[in-house]
Amino acid sequence: VKPDETWKDKRGKEVNEEMLLALACRRPIGWGSCSGTHELKGLAHALSAHVPEGAIPTGVWKVIDKKLAEAKKMAAKKQNPDGSYDHRWAPNSEPPLLGLALEGEKILVTGHMLAWLALCAHQDELDKPYIRNAYQFLRTVRVRKENVVLFFDMFCHALEGIKLYEKRMPPRQRS
């Protein structure tokens, strides 16, 4: 989507990217699929594409930045002692529909969490304990052999989070 591009919704109302992002920002943190992490990842992608690191966001970009900052505070407080996350990280989150055992849920949600955190964290935030601990959890997770096929999707999300984090964090600083 180009920044100034508009289109019409099914009722004929003109819509643009900023309107959709503003709508997403009005929803509670944790709302939606995978404990709200898909929406946070989308907001993080949009913000990083439109506002260079270090620049002061304005308009809808300021609202997005504020929402992501609030979500980061929640993430820092609601992490499990082992560095993982589960669906209860945000008050509006619901358990994954897959009916996963806690082992699979932790991999799935932590992978999603690390992905959006790696996208929206400022460079100096990437070494904060809650982000680093999520990375370490995913790097060291061990799954019983009989669950490998069942957890394939979870591994894909875990790998995405790991790769996004590693792309931004120099190897010597990963602990």
Side-chain angles (χ1 to χ4, degrees), residues 93-141:
S93 300
E94 294 183 13
L97 298 176
L98 303 172
L100 298 171
L102 184 58
E103 180 183 26
E105 180 183 324
K106 283 180 163 186
I107 297 167
L108 177 71
V109 177
T110 306
H112 280 81
M113 292 290 287
L114 185 58
W116 74 263
L117 286 166
L119 286 169
C120 76
H122 299 287
Q123 197 63 40
D124 62 339
E125 293 178 307
L126 289 170
D127 200 33
K128 291 206 177 247
Y130 72 102
I131 298 175
R132 189 179 57 248
N133 293 343
Y135 171 73
Q136 288 301 324
F137 170 80
L138 293 173
R139 293 282 302 169
T140 60
V141 72

Side-chain angles (χ1 to χ4, degrees), residues 3 29 33 45 50 61 74 83 90 101 126 136-138 148 157-158 160 164:
I29 293 171
S33 145
H45 266 302
H50 289 279
W61 309 111
M74 283 182 184
L126 289 170
Q136 288 301 324
F137 170 80
L138 293 173
V148 169
H157 291 294
E160 178 188 30
L164 287 169

Side-chain angles (χ1 to χ4, degrees), residues 18-157:
E18 289 188 16
M19 291 169 70
L20 294 176
L21 292 167
L23 174 65
C25 286
R26 287 196 295 270
R27 290 194 280 262
I29 293 171
W31 179 91
S33 145
C34 295
S35 302
T37 57
H38 286 278
E39 187 160 273
L40 292 169
K41 184 177 163 192
L43 291 171
H45 266 302
L47 184 65
S48 67
H50 289 279
V51 180
E53 182 148 352
I56 298 171
T58 58
V60 72
W61 309 111
K62 184 176 182 176
V63 176
I64 293 169
D65 191 53
K66 184 178 176 185
K67 181 169 185 156
L68 291 171
E70 184 182 346
K72 285 189 275 187
K73 285 180 189 173
M74 283 182 184
K77 290 180 185 171
K78 299 298 274 185
Q79 190 172 49
N80 295 318
D82 64 0
S84 70
Y85 288 94
D86 57 54
H87 75 274
R88 295 177 297 256
W89 81 274
N92 300 294
S93 300
E94 294 183 13
L97 298 176
L98 303 172
L100 298 171
L102 184 58
E103 180 183 26
E105 180 183 324
K106 283 180 163 186
I107 297 167
L108 177 71
V109 177
T110 306
H112 280 81
M113 292 290 287
L114 185 58
W116 74 263
L117 286 166
L119 286 169
C120 76
H122 299 287
Q123 197 63 40
D124 62 339
E125 293 178 307
L126 289 170
D127 200 33
K128 291 206 177 247
Y130 72 102
I131 298 175
R132 189 179 57 248
N133 293 343
Y135 171 73
Q136 288 301 324
F137 170 80
L138 293 173
R139 293 282 302 169
T140 60
V141 72
R142 299 287 182 260
V143 176
R144 293 183 306 275
K145 187 167 42 171
E146 64 271 15
N147 289 336
V148 169
V149 172
L150 175 66
F151 291 164
F152 181 75
D153 187 49
M154 282 104 264
F155 288 129
C156 291
H157 291 294

Side-chain angles (χ1 to χ4, degrees), residues 7-21:
W7 59 95
K8 295 194 185 288
D9 69 12
K10 65 182 179 182
R11 293 177 303 225
K13 181 181 175 188
E14 197 163 279
V15 185
N16 65 34
E17 179 186 32
E18 289 188 16
M19 291 169 70
L20 294 176
L21 292 167

